[in-house]
Amino acid sequence: MIPIVRPLPPIFGGFDMKTWLMAPLFAAVLALAACGEPTKKDILDKAEKIETKADLEDVLGAPDDISKVGPLERWTYQAEDGRVTFIITGERVSLKAAGG
């Protein structure tokens, strides 16, 4: 005997199965769009009370660029609206600056 294949009936007020299957995909696309680079304010807010290099990396992750001059390190994080630079002396974060 050959089974009869019928279209699925609309569920929940007329929405069909295709609509319900596409909804999570649409939600995922919206979530990914919101996951762009943080703004300078976001980065500075997260690092507001940070005092050590280790804590900075724990909170913000690895910097996008590191440059060293003698005992000084410059850690740069790219932001959606520019970049944020931290000057590190030894293990201490001594300066935070945001630029274009």
Side-chain angles (χ1 to χ4, degrees):
M1 177 177 235
I2 299 173
I4 298 173
V5 178
R6 296 182 187 154
L8 294 171
I11 57 174
F12 299 111
F15 292 108
D16 62 6
M17 186 59 75
K18 183 178 176 183
T19 302
W20 286 105
L21 292 174
M22 293 300 289
L25 177 63
F26 182 69
V29 168
L30 285 177
L32 286 174
C35 292
E37 288 185 334
T39 64
K40 293 184 288 189
K41 183 180 180 336
D42 294 337
I43 293 171
L44 289 170
D45 286 348
K46 285 182 182 179
E48 184 177 352
K49 297 184 183 200
I50 299 296
E51 294 182 9
T52 68
K53 181 166 71 169
D55 290 342
L56 185 64
E57 190 165 12
D58 285 345
V59 170
L60 297 178
D64 295 304
D65 183 56
I66 297 176
S67 60
K68 297 179 182 183
V69 177
L72 299 177
E73 292 183 37
R74 183 176 71 189
W75 285 21
T76 303
Y77 291 87
Q78 293 300 322
E80 180 181 291
D81 54 349
R83 64 182 176 271
V84 178
T85 301
F86 297 89
I87 303 299
I88 298 168
T89 308
E91 292 297 316
R92 302 302 253 168
V93 176
S94 55
L95 180 66
K96 303 167 187 170

